Amino acid sequence: MAKSHSRRRRVLAISGSLLLVTVLAVVAVRAAAGPTQAGGVPLRDLAAERGIRIGAAANPYLLEREPDYRALLAEQYGSMTAENVMKWDSLQPERGVYDFSTADVLTAFADEHDQQMRGHTVLWHNQNPEWLDQGEFGPEELRSIMRDHIDTVVGEHFAGRVYAWDVINEPFRDGSGELRPNLWLNTLGRGYIAEALHMAHEADPDARLYINDFNIEGRNPKSDALYDLAESLLEEGAPLHGIGFQGHFHAGGVPEDMAENMRRFTDLGLEVTVTELDVSIKMPASAEELRTQARDYRAVVENCLEVGGCTGVTVWGIGDADSWIPSWFPGRGAALPFDEDYAPKPAYGSLQEALGG
Ligand code: XIL
């Protein structure tokens, strides 16, 4: 799958029907021959044999225009998360006006390729529409807005098509055990978390409901606070089923105690998932850093396999050119298992090895 940028441009220039033929051909090769063009048995098949899922965050715009992106997503990943298009600003851009068009590009692809879909995300402090952020709603009105969104999104639209939801995203301040001030906390108080979980459970009783956060992979004040929160939610009878460990790492930065830390959550009866894995490198990436990165990817999958109750690992994108890292963290990049041309990097090989391939 390695190729030059100029070839990539040529590929982009060919007609839609030819693209479709190309994609079908790649999928047919996978079905017929097993090993993929990325090399070896696909990650999704290896993961299934080990009883976990390997997923990727996906973007419908790339899915529609990049044949290699489509092919890798279909071949390699058995689960999918919407990188952006299930966030509030995409789904309810105007009050009471829902738009599922881009999200449904992903659910249709997932159906077609036998992939399970994680829902991301219900309540967050980012990527909210202006009407919601600036609305200055009182508690009663905000609660009814929340219920309408959850009933419509988690219930009516996606029930049966999304198996797990990040109901609460990034509820803690970074580096501390304090809840993060946001629209929900400021108006409804800390009870917003339990309220949202109950509403989501009523909307789709089959969905696995998660709290998802970053910098909680090892033991630290933030993961301690999350642990206390999870324990008290379970004591109160809130329908919390899992903890999402985002897993945005710097190369060499996977905490030694990650498995042990995840295990204390599974000891509470929760499942755990690595939901947004990427391993960024200060650019330009040296061969040695790429090897460190490969070890990190391997360590994360091994940690998940080591913890009964870890359902799997989702990587936050397909190839380095699509990753959010360079635009959010200037000077860093090369964070994913496939490079800018969708060629496999050492990290891809180590994911395969970690899964027993
Ligand atoms: C990121 C997306 O990858 C970017 O495209 C977008 O501009 C900002 O959000 N934690 C999360 C994800 O929970 O939703 C974020 O995704 C990355 C950090």
Side-chain angles (χ1 to χ4, degrees):
M1 204 147 292
K3 62 180 169 15
S4 69
H5 278 290
S6 63
R7 176 160 166 243
R8 185 162 159 197
R9 275 194 293 275
R10 284 202 303 280
V11 169
L12 284 174
I14 61 178
S15 75
S17 57
L18 199 51
L19 291 187
L20 187 63
V21 170
T22 311
V23 171
L24 291 176
V26 172
V27 172
V29 165
R30 172 179 180 231
T36 69
Q37 295 187 15
V41 180
L43 300 175
R44 59 182 290 173
D45 299 341
L46 294 170
E49 276 169 33
R50 305 296 303 268
I52 65 170
R53 296 183 196 99
I54 291 284
N59 170 326
Y61 309 103
L62 287 164
L63 201 61
E64 281 177 341
R65 65 165 199 261
E66 261 298 347
D68 288 345
Y69 183 98
R70 287 179 71 92
L72 282 176
L73 182 59
E75 285 169 2
Q76 298 292 330
Y77 299 104
S79 166
M80 195 204 289
T81 303
E83 183 177 2
N84 288 302
V85 297
M86 289 192 189
K87 292 172 181 172
W88 199 301
D89 59 356
S90 288
L91 294 183
Q92 198 185 166
E94 305 289 338
R95 186 168 178 181
V97 179
Y98 289 86
D99 178 358
F100 295 105
S101 56
T102 50
D104 283 346
V105 171
L106 299 184
T107 52
F109 188 88
D111 280 350
E112 196 184 326
H113 298 282
D114 195 21
Q115 292 163 317
Q116 289 188 292
M117 192 88 212
R118 292 195 87 254
H120 176 81
T121 176
V122 183
L123 301 189
W124 194 24
H125 60 278
N126 277 338
Q127 291 176 271
N128 288 323
E130 208 179 304
W131 69 265
L132 179 63
D133 256 344
Q134 312 295 325
E136 294 183 9
F137 302 109
E140 212 173 306
E141 195 169 10
L142 189 63
R143 197 169 276 128
S144 94
I145 288 170
M146 182 162 127
R147 183 172 285 283
D148 188 75
H149 189 83
I150 291 177
D151 282 350
T152 309
V153 170
V154 177
E156 276 164 42
H157 195 79
F158 290 117
R161 290 197 277 175
V162 167
Y163 73 94
W165 275 99
D166 294 329
V167 178
I168 307 291
N169 199 31
E170 303 182 347
F172 288 97
R173 277 184 200 263
D174 199 21
S176 89
E178 282 166 59
L179 285 178
R180 183 192 288 273
N182 63 23
L183 159 77
W184 316 103
L185 181 74
N186 299 350
T187 311
L188 302 173
R190 52 187 301 126
Y192 88 89
I193 295 176
E195 285 191 63
L197 290 166
H198 281 291
M199 287 180 195
H201 188 57
E202 281 162 33
D204 181 2
D206 294 327
R208 311 299 289 163
L209 305 181
Y210 276 66
I211 297 178
N212 188 53
D213 215 326
F214 63 96
N215 286 351
I216 55 159
E217 292 76 15
R219 266 191 102 127
N220 58 40
K222 194 173 176 182
S223 65
D224 287 349
L226 175 59
Y227 179 85
D228 292 343
L229 173 67
E231 193 175 38
S232 69
L233 285 167
L234 293 171
E235 271 166 21
E236 287 166 25
L240 173 68
H241 308 123
I243 302 294
F245 296 79
Q246 290 186 2
H248 295 294
F249 296 116
H250 285 189
V254 178
E256 293 281 319
D257 60 354
M258 183 170 174
E260 182 195 322
N261 181 47
M262 292 198 293
R263 198 172 293 116
R264 65 176 167 154
F265 288 91
T266 59
D267 286 346
L268 289 175
L270 294 167
E271 58 190 45
V272 297
T273 304
V274 180
T275 50
E276 306 184 11
L277 178 61
D278 51 24
V279 179
S280 68
I281 294 175
K282 188 166 172 292
M283 298 302 281
S286 67
E288 193 189 333
E289 283 162 322
L290 291 171
R291 283 195 296 274
T292 304
Q293 174 183 64
R295 281 197 295 277
D296 292 336
Y297 271 97
R298 177 203 298 261
V300 171
V301 168
E302 285 173 354
N303 286 331
C304 179
L305 289 169
E306 214 178 284
V307 178
C310 179
T311 70
V313 175
T314 290
V315 295
W316 205 241
I318 305 290
D320 286 339
D322 333 316
S323 161
W324 73 305
I325 293 289
S327 51
W328 281 77
F329 305 98
R332 305 193 67 82
L336 292 168
F338 294 94
D339 74 10
E340 303 230 330
D341 293 318
Y342 300 107
K345 293 162 62 184
Y348 172 74
S350 75
L351 283 174
Q352 283 204 314
E353 281 169 29
L355 292 166

